[in-house]
Amino acid sequence: MTFMQVIDCRTTKFDDMNRLMDSWVEATQGKRTATHAVVGRDRSQGDHFVEIIEFPSYEEAMTNSALPETNRIFEEMVALCDGMPTFTDLDVVRDEQLNKATCRRFFQELAREGDAAGFAECFTADYHDHDVANKEQDTRGADGIHEEVLGYRSAFPDFEFTVQDQIAEGDRVVTRWTWQGTHRGEMRGIPATGKKVTMEGTTTFLFDEHGKIKEGWWHWDVLGMLSQLGVVDLPKSA
């Protein structure tokens, strides 16, 4: 179970505190078990700070606390604070990264069902799509990405994505996916071949402040797909 520790403190020497945290990060390189740390300043009280540190488990947090470097930095941190910091230990019982959920909805639901209302909910009206397969003109708008998905669905009626991995950072989510489908309709001038195609790729989606996807970058093996359809011949590996 993921574990988080919340440190609440007051200080008028945040710049010194920040440098202290930098020195801890450097000193514990290769030793620390913390995976994520966020520091926030209270908007209404400028000397009030809250730090949230994430660990894979409570046991890993205790290992981190036992490091000599952690103990030394803690003593120096207390000296910079106006009073003793308070600590709250939290077992994480729910962790819902909403932008990742929106991406999963696209790959697992919208791409399969083609619901126009769903696309409007997930994509901005001025969405900008960058796809290695679209050399001449990028796809634009929620309607544009909807129509493009319908075009692939027309050529591969049974296609489906499988989400393999997702990484979220800030307002971006990267999804590694696999895709498969049977070529039963024309695709960009290529007549139906009846062949089954499999491929893999990654998509990076950028979100706006309202949680909608406003830009996307697709990287996938276009030549590999054309080779499986028998349109191009790829050189044999030695």
Side-chain angles (χ1 to χ4, degrees), residues 105-123:
R105 181 185 178 193
F106 166 74
F107 287 105
Q108 298 173 347
E109 176 188 328
L110 299 181
R112 183 179 67 248
E113 299 176 0
D115 176 44
F119 276 82
E121 292 171 2
C122 294
F123 292 85

Side-chain angles (χ1 to χ4, degrees), residues 15-173:
D15 288 343
D16 293 333
M17 185 83 76
N18 209 28
R19 285 191 287 270
L20 185 62
M21 292 301 101
D22 288 340
S23 68
W24 176 80
V25 169
E26 182 178 355
T28 58
Q29 183 70 39
K31 305 176 185 178
R32 62 180 178 272
T33 58
T35 58
H36 190 196
V38 176
V39 178
R41 184 200 300 266
D42 190 333
R43 291 179 65 91
S44 62
Q45 302 178 62
D47 65 340
H48 181 203
F49 296 87
V50 176
E51 181 175 12
I52 303 173
I53 308 174
E54 183 176 2
F55 301 88
S57 66
Y58 171 78
E59 291 74 20
E60 294 286 358
M62 294 303 98
T63 299
N64 194 81
S65 297
L67 293 174
E69 297 86 353
T70 299
N71 188 59
R72 175 177 59 80
I73 294 297
F74 171 71
E75 292 176 353
E76 295 182 34
M77 182 186 78
V78 170
L80 293 173
C81 291
D82 302 329
M84 179 64 79
T86 62
F87 295 81
T88 304
D89 293 343
L90 300 173
D91 288 324
V92 176
V93 295
R94 177 167 177 166
D95 181 6
E96 185 66 31
Q97 295 180 305
L98 300 179
N99 288 348
K100 288 172 67 173
T102 297
C103 291
R104 288 195 303 274
R105 181 185 178 193
F106 166 74
F107 287 105
Q108 298 173 347
E109 176 188 328
L110 299 181
R112 183 179 67 248
E113 299 176 0
D115 176 44
F119 276 82
E121 292 171 2
C122 294
F123 292 85
T124 62
D126 60 350
Y127 170 73
H128 186 178
D129 193 72
H130 310 270
D131 190 327
V132 293
N134 297 334
K135 295 296 186 181
E136 296 182 1
Q137 184 175 356
D138 289 340
T139 299
R140 300 277 186 162
D143 291 341
I145 187 66
H146 176 233
E147 289 299 320
E148 184 157 326
V149 168
L150 290 183
Y152 277 100
R153 178 63 65 185
S154 176
F156 299 87
D158 61 344
F159 90 66
E160 63 178 354
F161 285 100
T162 301
V163 173
Q164 301 293 347
D165 290 302
Q166 285 186 302
I167 299 174
E169 183 171 350
D171 53 6
R172 287 170 170 80
V173 177

Side-chain angles (χ1 to χ4, degrees), residues 5-23:
Q5 189 169 69
V6 180
I7 305 172
D8 193 303
C9 68
R10 292 183 178 274
T11 181
T12 56
K13 302 174 181 178
F14 180 72
D15 288 343
D16 293 333
M17 185 83 76
N18 209 28
R19 285 191 287 270
L20 185 62
M21 292 301 101
D22 288 340
S23 68

